[in-house]
Amino acid sequence: MDLSLRQLSVYAAVARAESFTAAARQLRVAQSSLSRTVLELERTLGVRLFDRTTRRMRRTPEGQRLLEAAERVLAAHRAEMADLERYLAGERGLVTIATLPSVAAALLPPVIARFREQRPDVAVRILDGMSEAALDRLSSGAADLAITAAEGLPAGLRAHPLAEDRFFAVLPPGHPRAGSAELAWDDFTGEQFIAVGADSSVRAGTDRAFAEAGVRPAGVTEAGNVSTVGGLLAAGLGVSAMPALVEVLMSFADYVRLPLVRPVLDRRLSVVLPHERRVPPPARGFLECLRGLREEGHPLPADVRWVD
């Protein structure tokens, strides 16, 4: 059988009041329309829903059972509509962010903390990985937004600049230049350089700086991730250059951090969004929170700054 929400709502009002007059007054409709709806229900179900006398009407057992069923359906409908309303307002649901490990570890924690205060019923899922993986997840719909280095974006994505972090030199504590005030990129000439993988935004930056400075290290050891670089540095196996946000991922290692000049190199991080796919309401709420922290000038780690 197929009973509409309107029919169930009308019937519930009549059945609770056991009066067409009272129900019509409550619903602000003509009494005749309520009578027609109840008659339609009785014809559809093939049962009498009320025992009627000249003085009053009472629910039959079948009418009582229908009232109980109607109230459950109507309560479930109200709950689902309230849940939908909260989702559309960005107050409920899930936001999925594809980003770099350094951004997840050093930039996002205060944003997520503020977001939880503002929207405690929205869950946050972080998919961290290399820049290309973040963009792939956004393009495929696995993520609602990405925060990554956004050079050479694929078609269909747009970047909104968010922050920049500066590259610094990383040396083992016993390195001859560990006491220097700063290093230039050409100081890496003849050094064993520890680099992260070719799919990393860090590697793109160091390759570009070496090309600009006309520098070729004596050799390159490639590591899959930043924490591996930290371990190799601590073992005295080479030198490296890293942007400021990654430092939290190397905090376990013993190293010396020096300013890096000629050229000074910054990594631009952007919020990346799809061109043609609408950002879901929970993700829009997260972006509002992120913009709010940037507008407030919320403190960032050393050598990291917000950009417009």
Side-chain angles (χ1 to χ4, degrees):
M1 66 187 68
D2 186 14
L3 305 183
S4 70
L5 283 173
R6 179 190 169 278
Q7 286 177 310
L8 293 176
S9 180
V10 166
Y11 174 74
V14 174
R16 283 191 296 265
E18 292 189 326
S19 165
F20 285 111
T21 302
R25 190 181 307 116
Q26 174 192 337
L27 298 177
R28 298 182 180 180
V29 296
Q31 182 175 328
S32 58
S33 75
L34 302 189
S35 299
R36 284 195 300 272
T37 298
V38 171
L39 287 173
E40 289 169 2
L41 286 171
E42 289 181 326
R43 282 196 295 268
T44 299
L45 297 172
V47 296
R48 192 172 67 252
L49 298 173
F50 295 99
D51 288 323
R52 302 170 179 83
T53 67
T54 55
R55 303 183 62 179
R56 63 179 306 168
M57 57 188 292
R58 286 188 179 277
R59 295 185 295 273
T60 63
E62 295 85 352
Q64 176 61 31
R65 186 63 180 268
L66 177 59
L67 174 59
E68 294 167 0
E71 288 183 328
R72 287 194 298 270
V73 170
L74 294 170
H77 180 261
R78 286 192 297 270
E80 290 296 329
M81 291 302 99
D83 189 72
L84 175 61
E85 184 176 14
R86 295 192 66 201
Y87 170 80
L88 294 175
E91 297 173 355
R92 194 172 184 86
L94 169 69
V95 54
T96 301
I97 305 154
T99 191
L100 306 173
S102 57
V103 173
L107 184 62
L108 287 188
V111 184
I112 294 171
R114 173 75 65 84
F115 186 65
R116 281 180 176 174
E117 291 175 0
Q118 295 176 349
R119 302 170 191 260
D121 293 327
V122 178
V124 177
R125 178 171 60 192
I126 297 174
L127 305 176
D128 59 327
M130 296 299 100
S131 186
E132 184 177 348
L135 297 178
D136 286 346
R137 285 163 169 164
L138 179 61
S139 295
S140 70
D144 301 315
L145 62 103
I147 302 176
T148 186
E151 297 179 6
L153 283 181
L157 301 180
R158 52 195 165 95
H160 303 268
L162 178 66
E164 287 182 342
D165 59 345
R166 182 151 295 177
F167 276 76
F168 56 90
V170 189
L171 308 177
H175 193 278
R177 294 183 178 272
S180 303
E182 63 183 25
L183 287 187
W185 286 87
D186 60 14
D187 290 325
F188 288 129
T189 301
E191 295 280 358
Q192 292 292 327
F193 190 81
I194 305 171
V196 290
D199 58 347
S200 164
S201 63
V202 176
R203 179 65 173 272
T206 57
D207 285 353
R208 186 169 64 251
F210 280 136
E212 184 177 333
V215 174
R216 183 184 295 274
V220 174
T221 300
E222 188 172 297
N225 57 61
V226 171
S227 60
T228 303
V229 173
L232 296 173
L233 279 165
L237 297 177
V239 300
S240 191
M242 290 290 163
L245 278 176
V246 309
E247 192 164 19
V248 67
L249 303 177
M250 300 171 56
S251 58
F252 68 93
D254 189 14
Y255 62 87
V256 175
R257 178 191 201 275
L258 296 176
L260 191 51
V261 297
R262 296 190 301 275
V264 171
L265 179 63
D266 292 319
R267 178 179 63 162
R268 172 67 62 90
L269 299 167
S270 298
V271 175
V272 184
L273 300 172
H275 257 306
E276 298 180 356
R277 190 173 74 242
R278 184 173 173 81
V279 178
R284 291 203 298 271
F286 186 87
L287 290 172
E288 290 171 10
C289 181
L290 182 58
R291 281 193 293 268
L293 286 173
R294 183 178 64 181
E295 290 168 2
E296 293 171 15
H298 187 84
L300 293 172
D303 295 321
V304 185
R305 66 184 184 92
W306 299 108
V307 296
D308 297 324

